[in-house]
Amino acid sequence: MQVTQSPNRSFIAPTRWALALVLTLLLGFGLAIRLFDLTDLPLDFHPTRQLFAALKARAMYYQTAPGIPDWKRDITIRQYETEATIEPPILESLVAATYRLTGEHLWIARIYSSIFWILGGVFLFLLARDLLSLDGALVALAIYLFLPYAVIASRSFQPDPLMVMLILLCLWSAVRWNRNGGWGWAVLAGLGGGAAVFVKFTAAFFVAAALLWAVLDRYSLKQALTRLQVWGMALLSILPAAGYLLYGLYFADTLGSQFSGRFFPQMWIDPFFYFRWEGKIALLLGHVGLALALLGLMFLRSRRSQNLLLTLWAAYFIFGMVFDFHISSHDYYSLPLIPIGALSLAGMGQEMLRGLAEAVSGSGWRRAAAHLLLLFVVVMTVWDVRVQMKSVDYRPQEAYWASIGQALDHSASVIALTQDYGYPLVYWGFQKASIWPDYGDLQYRDRAGKSDFASRFQNLTRKKAYFLVTDFNEFQYQPELKDYLYGQYPIYLQGEGFVVFDLTHPLTP
Amino acid sequence: MENKKVWFFGNRISLLITLAIVFVAAIGIRLYDLTDMPLDFNANRQLFSALKARGMYYAMLPASAADVPQWQREMAISQWKSMATIEPPVTETLVALSYRVFGLHLWISRIYTSFFWVLGGIFLFLLAKEISSLDGAVVALLFYLFLPFGIIASRSFQPDPLMVFLMIAGLWAMYRWRSSGTWKWALTAGLLNGAAIFVKNVAVFPLLGAAVGLVLERGLRESIKDRQTWILAILSALPVGLYTLYGVLISGSLASQFNLRFFPDLWKDGGFYIRWKGQLDGITGFGPIVLALIGALLAGKRKSAFLLGLWAGYLVFGMTFAYHISTHDYYSLPVIPIVALSFSPLVALLADRLEQVQPAWLVRTSLAVFTILVCGVYLWYARVDLARSDYREDPQFWWKLGEKLGHTNPAIGLTQDYGARLAYWGWQDISSWYYSGDLNIRDLAGINVNLSDRFADQIKGKKFFVVTQMSKLDSQPEIKATLYNHYPIYDQGNGYLIFDLTHPK
């Protein structure tokens, strides 16, 4: 095989202009696809998590917004006050602040999250340039931006896109500091890492891994302990979250319950835990994608890059073992794996492109075909995601939930077997409700200790006037509940997609 | 790219042991859940073959030796004879002959088709070794044998596994012929191509595509002057040519088989390409196809011509059968070996690069573990897929429904797989009323169907209208209303509804 192309010359972007064009196309397409179908309701991806944030943003906005009816303001703020505090509501605050300028438009959150993800892409590209060839970096960026799961997840109203962006900022700065040293990079790495952990505690695993790698790759442990920059990075990355944590635990008492029900070491010996976990990763990367990503580590040319990525994989693994229930049941917990997977896959991608460049260098049409093929992959992936977004329209749900809220007159004492922990009901219906647990929750609770149906029903429906059912699939899964409600209570009202039982007038008193 | 004589894991013994394990596992997973009913994959197509094989079997048996009453024997033979002829019933004949030896066991077909597919793996390995390396060949083989869709599809009762097997063998022989230029390989390639195209004529597309690729790579003028090229082409075309001529001009059995298959209007419809891609996503996934196309481009001149010819053949095939390629996943079955072969050069390239990575033992161990894990996950998912559904109870339902209909009363209806389940297990022939998809395809072909007229025409002489697919009836409100408003319900139960057409209200 004749090799005529310089091994260092990029196949995808051989000139600076070409690079500018390719980057513009990738980032532009990346943003455009995320803003497609912008005004659809955020029910396409983990609606509970998104509406949880949406309710917080609305409550912040309603606290000062003029012209909001008092009953709406009351319901919203009361709901906000009962919501658990998991992370500091940074994105929610940003969105609420924007509402004050633009009015309440739920899709504003989508713009923020999308931009955060795209900015993360810029840091990822810069980072990848330090670890891989230019082609490898472009491959990593393309995977990060266009993986179908990533497109959908990264436009969701939750702190994760911002967290991933900040992790990437920390990683890039840490790699730069590792190579060049200097207070500038140390501060940036510390601030990026600190902000990431502040936005969402789970970032700590990745930030710690990145900083540990950066320090221990440069210095011995003993040397590291004597370096001020190391201490500076450590302090900056720990302080914001530690401050928030201390405040939440000891002053505001908002975080007390957030560390229970998250750690189940007994799952480690259950092989199905690993299958479920692998299944979640497969949603992000695919089974083969995961295998190729791990294999891709071997194609990284420098030991330094290999060690960094191995450290990040190890961090993800430890993170998964600690949050074992969530990692195997909530796919978005694995979101930080996308940039790690993208970098790992890019190792193989750069070798592939190097081989392709060599093979097609003697033939104009084959070179053109190869470029077209790469463009085709991006276009088809974007198009597929577009089709996926367009195939579902959630907008009618707004009126549906509003009608239920209206039927219940917003103020009744209600317990509900309903979708997404009642968030759509409260968000669009302005109807607060206690939530009857779904089948998955019942299983989850059973891990901690069982309770029988009768006592559960008695406990949960105490002082409730109505039992609302909108989730009929769940209703089928709980035949005991279904039989009991139909057997013991009259139907108060029913309509398209919902039924309300009157708990105040049992059929057999 | 030079073909290496050794593979990544060193010696020949390890390769042979690996191949033995791979082939045993490939057969093993295909024979898992062997005796379940063939409803797991394109049931309509499978039962079409099953009805043919059963009819042939009873036709071979003297009436006295049949293990069913005379009316069933006659019905089985009549069902076979009334079935449309699409391809020569090669697999069906083999299965019917086996029934004579082992008795009528529907799962016998599963053994045949599984073996055909796995045998195809041998030729795929040999061919991939030619166009890439031993490493590339092993990975191509793993992909071909353990892809979950391939596992399920390749055990189905239809001619496709045999066609794919012969197609790969033909491709291998053609590539060998191009390398050696001998008469032996020209004749072998011609015979294998001819057999593949005879079993199912759509094999012509990839075979012709690859052949054109090789011819162009060699030089058109030089190829045309070569008598071997002509003999290969004639041998490839002869069996199916004769069969088609006989079917169209003499027996007339193939006359209607070219209708409703060619829809050039779809080419202008963006949705068609998305649906087609959707089918491919479900078969191999988009990622492997991209890797395969990259592999085809970087393979080297002759290999690229050969592989890109294969892809071009598949593309032309898809454009020709535009409706079917975008709606029937099994139409894309040949794409599995095409993808496997195409990414083998890429695997070879990556394996070469990996050989430079140190320490070698760690790389080898990791690679072995990853490969075993990926294959294990694929096998596991295929196993779960097979174990999840148990169709063994279905025949009982259809038999009872056949009893209610009287087995011999003329009926029409909306039942699963165009009435094939009712025909096979219920021993009750019915004319199938249109599914909404059938109306769509007629619409595409510009055929305007007046439903009321068609309904009135179709129910003439029929005693019952039987429905076991309520959703399909719901999707045709006009027919639903006609049935409920004008005909009494003769019987209904769990999963079925029978209207009495002989006593209109």
Side-chain angles (χ1 to χ4, degrees):
Chain A
M1 188 182 295
Q2 199 184 1
V3 179
T4 54
Q5 174 140 352
S6 156
N8 296 321
R9 198 170 172 212
S10 166
F11 177 67
I12 301 177
T15 65
R16 289 179 78 83
W17 282 107
L19 176 61
L21 177 69
V22 171
L23 280 176
T24 308
L25 275 177
L26 289 179
L27 295 170
F29 265 144
L31 185 59
I33 187 61
R34 283 168 175 81
L35 299 187
F36 179 79
D37 201 22
L38 181 70
T39 57
D40 204 353
L41 307 185
L43 300 175
D44 51 344
F45 182 81
H46 294 278
T48 309
R49 188 65 190 79
Q50 294 204 69
L51 289 175
F52 172 82
L55 277 163
K56 284 196 166 186
R58 173 190 272 173
M60 290 174 183
Y61 171 58
Y62 276 9
Q63 278 171 346
T64 55
I68 307 292
D70 286 343
W71 66 272
K72 278 190 173 181
R73 199 191 306 269
D74 286 349
I75 287 174
T76 305
I77 292 174
R78 268 195 290 132
Q79 178 71 26
Y80 173 56
E81 284 166 355
T82 58
E83 291 299 342
T85 300
I86 306 175
E87 299 94 17
I90 298 172
L91 180 60
E92 293 85 343
S93 305
L94 260 177
V95 170
T98 313
Y99 284 171
R100 286 183 196 115
L101 299 175
T102 60
E104 189 190 358
H105 300 295
L106 195 40
W107 43 263
I108 285 170
R110 198 164 269 166
I111 300 179
Y112 276 113
S113 292
S114 301
I115 290 174
F116 291 145
W117 193 267
I118 299 296
L119 282 176
V122 174
F123 297 128
L124 177 85
F125 176 72
L126 295 170
L127 167 68
R129 281 297 288 124
D130 285 346
L131 306 176
L132 303 160
S133 67
L134 178 55
D135 284 339
L138 289 169
V139 170
L141 177 62
I143 293 170
Y144 170 84
L145 289 176
F146 299 118
L147 209 60
Y149 177 92
V151 175
I152 305 293
S154 65
R155 63 206 290 267
S156 64
F157 193 171
Q158 55 180 23
D160 301 63
L162 175 59
M163 175 195 72
V164 170
M165 179 195 88
L166 291 166
I167 291 175
L168 286 168
L169 170 63
C170 166
L171 250 174
W172 171 59
S173 318
V175 169
R176 280 293 165 104
W177 176 82
N178 170 271
R179 202 177 62 184
N180 305 328
W183 272 104
W185 292 116
V187 169
L188 198 54
L191 284 176
V197 183
F198 183 67
V199 167
K200 192 163 178 169
F201 290 137
T202 53
F205 293 87
F206 305 97
V207 169
L211 297 182
L212 272 175
W213 169 83
V215 171
L216 295 179
D217 183 68
R218 194 175 160 91
Y219 302 119
S220 69
L221 184 61
K222 203 171 166 184
Q223 282 174 324
L225 291 173
T226 63
R227 303 284 162 165
L228 270 181
Q229 286 179 13
V230 173
W231 285 103
M233 268 196 298
L235 278 176
L236 284 173
S237 59
I238 291 169
L239 267 180
Y244 176 75
L245 198 61
L246 284 176
Y247 174 78
L249 282 176
Y250 298 109
F251 296 97
D253 198 23
T254 50
L255 293 173
S257 62
Q258 284 313 305
F259 298 94
S260 61
R262 293 195 170 239
F263 183 52
F264 298 96
Q266 66 271 27
M267 289 177 74
W268 298 352
I269 50 170
D270 175 7
F272 287 98
F273 155 62
Y274 299 96
F275 276 115
R276 285 196 299 272
W277 187 0
E278 195 276 336
K280 294 295 167 200
I281 300 176
L283 283 179
L284 278 74
L285 301 174
H287 302 294
V288 177
L290 170 64
L292 290 180
L294 289 168
L295 204 59
L297 294 172
M298 293 183 209
F299 290 92
L300 295 168
R301 296 227 153 176
S302 77
R303 179 72 63 194
R304 184 170 163 267
S305 314
Q306 259 178 356
N307 286 342
L308 171 62
L309 279 171
L310 277 172
T311 311
L312 291 172
W313 277 97
Y316 171 71
F317 179 72
I318 295 168
F319 164 58
M321 296 300 274
V322 174
F323 291 92
D324 46 12
F325 179 80
H326 290 81
I327 202 82
S328 58
S329 57
H330 293 56
D331 44 64
Y332 67 83
Y333 263 61
S334 290
L335 212 56
L337 191 61
I338 289 176
I340 301 172
L343 288 167
S344 307
L345 281 166
M348 192 182 286
Q350 71 179 4
E351 292 303 329
M352 218 182 287
L353 287 174
R354 200 194 304 263
L356 188 61
E358 286 171 9
V360 302
S361 59
S363 160
W365 77 264
R366 281 169 72 195
R367 194 166 49 239
H371 278 118
L372 273 178
L373 175 62
L374 297 177
L375 182 64
F376 171 75
V377 173
V378 172
V379 171
M380 279 315 287
T381 309
V382 171
W383 186 260
D384 258 4
V385 179
R386 180 196 165 278
V387 169
Q388 190 187 333
M389 288 178 185
K390 208 169 160 52
S391 64
V392 189
D393 184 2
Y394 296 103
R395 289 174 186 87
Q397 296 244 0
E398 186 171 354
Y400 164 72
W401 293 109
S403 73
I404 296 176
Q406 207 166 14
L408 289 166
D409 205 18
H410 305 293
S411 57
S413 175
V414 175
I415 180 162
L417 179 63
T418 183
Q419 286 84 346
D420 304 316
Y421 297 93
Y423 284 109
L425 182 64
V426 72
Y427 193 85
W428 290 295
F430 287 94
Q431 175 62 59
K432 261 179 76 69
S434 303
I435 298 305
W436 181 267
D438 65 19
Y439 184 69
D441 279 340
L442 291 175
Q443 280 191 320
Y444 178 72
R445 286 171 193 209
D446 283 349
R447 285 175 195 278
K450 294 188 178 206
S451 68
D452 64 295
F453 171 76
S455 59
R456 178 180 293 136
F457 190 86
Q458 200 176 19
N459 286 338
L460 292 174
T461 58
R462 189 172 294 140
K463 294 185 184 169
K464 300 295 177 199
Y466 302 110
F467 199 117
L468 166 70
V469 179
T470 63
D471 189 342
F472 289 93
N473 283 336
E474 265 302 321
F475 210 27
Q476 296 295 340
Y477 279 125
Q478 300 190 42
E480 214 172 358
L481 173 69
K482 186 177 175 182
D483 293 345
Y484 191 72
L485 283 173
Y486 275 110
Q488 300 295 321
Y489 298 102
I491 290 174
Y492 171 68
L493 56 96
Q494 60 185 327
E496 183 83 10
F498 72 92
V499 58
V500 181
F501 295 92
D502 183 355
L503 300 180
T504 57
H505 297 94
L507 293 171
T508 48
Chain B
M1 196 182 302
E2 284 301 313
N3 289 1
K4 292 185 302 174
K5 300 286 179 222
V6 291
W7 78 314
F8 197 77
F9 294 94
N11 61 38
R12 208 176 160 74
I13 302 277
S14 65
L15 175 65
L16 289 174
I17 292 172
T18 304
L19 290 178
I21 293 170
V22 164
F23 279 108
V24 168
I27 278 290
I29 188 64
R30 283 169 174 79
L31 300 188
Y32 177 80
D33 200 24
L34 179 70
T35 57
D36 204 356
M37 300 300 127
L39 301 176
D40 51 344
F41 181 82
N42 289 294
N44 179 36
R45 187 63 190 79
Q46 294 204 65
L47 289 173
F48 175 84
S49 288
L51 282 162
K52 280 195 169 186
R54 183 171 73 178
M56 288 175 181
Y57 167 60
Y58 282 123
M60 288 174 197
L61 278 181
S64 55
D67 52 358
V68 291
Q70 182 60 15
W71 70 267
Q72 284 188 341
R73 180 177 174 273
E74 282 167 11
M75 181 181 277
I77 296 169
S78 125
Q79 284 172 332
W80 160 45
K81 293 199 166 158
S82 65
M83 308 225 77
T85 301
I86 305 174
E87 300 92 16
V90 181
T91 310
E92 291 87 341
T93 307
L94 270 174
V95 170
L97 287 168
S98 304
Y99 286 168
R100 287 213 64 178
V101 179
F102 302 106
L104 200 161
H105 299 294
L106 197 38
W107 43 264
I108 286 173
S109 66
R110 203 163 262 162
I111 300 177
Y112 274 110
T113 53
S114 298
F115 269 97
F116 291 147
W117 191 269
V118 173
L119 280 176
I122 296 174
F123 293 101
L124 182 105
F125 178 79
L126 295 171
L127 176 55
K129 189 164 71 76
E130 298 270 330
I131 58 176
S132 59
S133 66
L134 276 170
D135 303 316
V138 170
V139 175
L141 179 66
L142 292 176
F143 181 84
Y144 171 80
L145 290 179
F146 295 142
L147 189 74
F149 180 89
I151 291 172
I152 307 293
S154 64
R155 60 206 290 276
S156 65
F157 194 174
Q158 53 179 350
D160 300 63
L162 176 58
M163 174 199 73
V164 169
F165 153 53
L166 291 168
M167 182 192 93
I168 300 169
L171 288 169
W172 170 66
M174 267 202 293
Y175 197 82
R176 294 288 300 171
W177 166 68
R178 176 67 190 95
S179 306
S180 65
T182 60
W183 273 103
K184 181 183 85 175
W185 285 110
L187 292 171
T188 309
L191 289 171
L192 287 167
N193 286 355
I197 300 167
F198 179 72
V199 166
K200 190 161 178 169
N201 54 24
V202 296
V204 72
F205 291 94
L207 286 169
L208 186 62
V212 168
L214 288 177
V215 161
L216 292 178
E217 181 270 330
R218 184 185 182 190
L220 189 58
R221 189 185 296 258
E222 200 182 334
S223 297
I224 287 175
K225 279 189 202 160
D226 187 349
R227 278 184 301 162
Q228 288 179 9
T229 311
W230 288 101
I231 290 297
L232 195 159
I234 289 169
L235 284 176
S236 301
L238 202 60
V240 77
L242 292 175
Y243 175 76
T244 308
L245 280 179
Y246 174 79
V248 173
L249 301 179
I250 301 173
S251 75
S253 58
L254 292 174
S256 65
Q257 284 312 308
F258 300 96
N259 298 335
L260 294 176
R261 294 201 165 236
F262 184 57
F263 297 99
D265 283 356
L266 283 172
W267 300 350
K268 295 177 283 181
D269 173 10
F272 154 62
Y273 298 97
I274 294 288
R275 286 193 297 277
W276 187 359
K277 181 182 168 290
Q279 294 290 341
L280 289 173
D281 284 343
I283 295 169
T284 62
F286 187 51
I289 287 182
V290 172
L291 295 179
L293 289 169
I294 291 176
L297 279 171
L298 60 71
K301 195 168 173 242
R302 181 184 301 165
K303 297 161 187 172
S304 276
F306 178 73
L307 292 170
L308 292 173
L310 263 176
W311 280 103
Y314 171 69
L315 185 72
V316 174
F317 165 54
M319 300 298 274
T320 309
F321 294 95
Y323 179 79
H324 291 82
I325 202 84
S326 58
T327 52
H328 293 55
D329 50 8
Y330 69 85
Y331 262 63
S332 285
L333 215 52
V335 92
I336 295 176
I338 296 176
V339 169
L341 288 168
S342 299
F343 72 48
S344 63
L346 183 61
V347 175
L349 171 99
L350 295 174
D352 276 352
R353 300 273 199 254
L354 273 184
E355 284 197 343
Q356 297 156 21
V357 179
Q358 295 299 326
W361 68 267
L362 181 64
V363 176
R364 286 185 180 156
T365 310
S366 312
L367 206 58
V369 170
F370 292 146
T371 310
I372 290 167
L373 277 179
V374 171
C375 292
V377 167
Y378 271 9
L379 284 171
W380 176 257
Y381 278 102
R383 186 206 153 273
V384 168
D385 207 13
L386 291 172
R388 188 186 294 140
S389 313
D390 186 350
Y391 300 103
R392 289 178 182 82
E393 300 299 319
D394 280 40
Q396 192 62 19
F397 169 82
W398 295 106
W399 168 254
K400 282 183 183 162
L401 188 57
E403 287 272 89
K404 286 182 193 302
L405 295 166
H407 296 301
T408 49
N409 286 314
I412 181 170
L414 273 171
T415 69
Q416 277 78 356
D417 306 313
Y418 295 94
R421 296 185 199 197
L422 187 55
Y424 194 86
W425 290 298
W427 296 90
Q428 169 69 52
D429 285 328
I430 64 160
S431 309
S432 185
W433 178 249
Y434 289 136
Y435 294 170
S436 47
D438 301 323
L439 295 170
N440 291 344
I441 196 172
R442 277 159 182 79
D443 192 36
L444 269 173
I447 301 168
N448 192 11
V449 178
N450 182 315
L451 277 185
S452 329
D453 291 352
R454 179 77 187 172
F455 183 79
D457 188 47
Q458 286 284 295
I459 63 167
K460 267 182 205 155
K462 303 290 191 308
K463 193 169 178 187
F464 299 119
F465 194 107
V466 53
V467 184
T468 58
Q469 289 187 296
M470 307 302 166
S471 60
K472 289 206 187 298
L473 185 62
D474 289 341
S475 65
Q476 298 188 50
E478 189 182 338
I479 298 304
K480 185 177 178 179
T482 305
L483 284 168
Y484 274 102
N485 294 340
H486 298 291
Y487 299 98
I489 291 173
Y490 172 77
D491 196 356
Q492 62 183 320
N494 195 10
Y496 70 91
L497 179 61
I498 304 169
F499 292 94
D500 182 355
L501 300 177
T502 56
H503 297 93
K505 287 176 185 170

